[in-house]
Amino acid sequence: MILYLHGFRSSPRSMKGRLLAERMAALGRADEYVAPQLPASPRLAMAQAFALVAGVRADDLCIVGSSLGGYYATWMAERLGCRAVLLNPAVTPLLDLEKYVGVTTMYHSDEPFEFRREYIDELRAFAVPTITRPERYFLLAATGDEVLDYRTMVAHYAGARQHVIDGSDHGIGEFAQYVDEVLAFGHVHGAA
């Protein structure tokens, strides 16, 4: 099973979410792909994500997290013992998200999105200062990420499998060429 966790203000309709869903469908595995719309509250987002994978064996689960979703995926992988693929993950979102407290809109719609100050405290509860068992992790980081510093990601996931893309951007605009690599790490058979 692949659980995709989108980033801040994003959705399962993001380019990465759509590409993963399309590839899983092409492999005849659409029923093994789950990509929820996460609520703004980190506590509620994690409750929803854990509920979606309840009963799934750690060996049968890979969590793919983008940006803030990568922060969440790391917490979940540490708790569940499953594999995780991190796409330009947020390592210290407490520092980065403070400026977003208030009401804004979602990236893929004009839907209002409120990020409350208490969510910063909720995020703190999901910090993973040091990963254990780095072999469970695959980091895909872009040197051209205009939102987060890839060097922080590389240092945080030391010892993990890492693919550092020279250039690109925070959204990993050419993600289509990495989909099979991501799914293969998640043990999706049929992916290259």
Side-chain angles (χ1 to χ4, degrees):
M1 176 181 189
I2 300 288
L3 172 65
Y4 176 70
L5 302 177
H6 62 75
F8 183 69
R9 290 176 57 202
S10 190
S11 79
R13 297 186 309 275
S14 72
M15 178 262 301
K16 291 184 292 290
R18 287 193 324 269
L19 286 169
L20 286 166
E22 289 165 9
R23 186 68 179 121
M24 288 294 283
L27 291 167
R29 311 277 295 273
D31 59 331
E32 297 171 45
Y33 178 75
V34 180
Q37 176 64 59
L38 298 173
S41 159
R43 185 178 52 77
L44 294 178
M46 286 294 79
Q48 178 184 5
F50 275 101
L52 287 169
V53 298
V56 178
R57 288 177 353 120
D59 288 346
D60 297 331
L61 175 63
C62 182
I63 304 168
V64 179
S66 175
S67 193
L68 182 59
Y71 180 79
Y72 291 153
T74 302
W75 169 260
M76 291 185 74
E78 287 293 318
R79 296 297 163 283
L80 299 173
C82 65
R83 289 176 307 286
V85 179
L86 313 152
L87 311 173
N88 280 337
V91 173
T92 54
L94 306 176
L95 306 174
D96 302 318
L97 295 178
E98 182 74 32
K99 62 182 174 252
Y100 290 104
V101 170
V103 177
T104 185
T105 55
M106 301 291 284
Y107 287 130
H108 305 107
S109 69
D110 291 327
E111 212 174 306
F113 176 89
E114 183 179 7
F115 190 73
R116 299 179 181 163
R117 185 157 304 283
E118 67 248 32
Y119 296 165
I120 301 285
D121 291 328
E122 289 181 17
L123 274 174
R124 193 170 284 114
F126 302 120
V128 175
T130 307
I131 60 167
T132 60
R133 295 183 51 209
E135 67 277 6
R136 284 191 309 225
Y137 295 94
F138 172 30
L139 170 67
L140 189 62
T143 64
D145 189 325
E146 70 284 5
V147 178
L148 302 171
D149 188 336
Y150 83 96
R151 292 168 295 201
T152 306
M153 304 169 201
V154 167
H156 189 69
Y157 295 97
R161 177 173 169 189
Q162 297 189 359
H163 183 145
V164 177
I165 302 164
D166 187 24
S168 192
D169 53 30
H170 185 63
I172 311 176
E174 69 289 351
F175 184 69
Q177 63 188 304
Y178 303 111
V179 170
D180 279 348
E181 188 177 0
V182 166
L183 294 179
F185 185 81
H187 293 177
V188 173
H189 303 292

